[in-house]
Amino acid sequence: DILKAREILHIPLHVIIRPRGGDFNYSQSEIDVMKKDIEFCKANNINGVVFGVLTNDKKINKLVNKELVNIAGSMSTTFHRAIDECTNIDGAMNDLISLGFKRVLTSGGKSNAQEGMEVLKGFQNTLGEKIIIIPGGGIRHNNLQKLLKETNCKEYHSAAILNNSELINTEEVKQLK
């Protein structure tokens, strides 16, 4: 529950806004749900929201994303790994910057952050002053140091899930610290 998390956590809380699994091309009713969820987060002092809407042809849906960024207002906005499905990830990154996103969670268009390390490094070097690049996808304690050294990114995302489990591995979280 979001309100319970806000109550017990004393760190910034960023909530994913996603009405369903599957692709990132949403119907108008799904977009309406996203708007309401962002408004709920805003009203309850959530630090940030994480979302992403693509078009049928796997481009950033500029109109919808801009509307959602505007609704978020002063909350931090992160575009999630939907960007990794874009046909032109470089153009997509520039779109996110122009739309006002503060962060982007990405594996550099690859299946995981290690495979996308060179792309992530390039993004950090060329766009890191305009948007926070957050490598994500397969990040674990045994590859984090290499990613830190190679990409120079400042924030990272790990699900901390091991052995095809569906639960966070608390020992992995400790080792990531």
Side-chain angles (χ1 to χ4, degrees), residues 80-94:
H80 58 49
R81 287 195 56 204
I83 192 167
D84 295 323
E85 293 190 11
C86 288
T87 52
N88 176 356
I89 194 168
D90 294 313
M93 287 293 287
N94 288 315

Side-chain angles (χ1 to χ4, degrees), residues 56-68:
N56 278 332
D57 56 350
K58 302 207 178 213
K59 294 180 182 171
I60 303 296
N61 187 323
K62 294 181 201 174
L63 185 66
V64 172
N65 284 295
K66 183 61 176 172
E67 191 174 3
L68 296 176

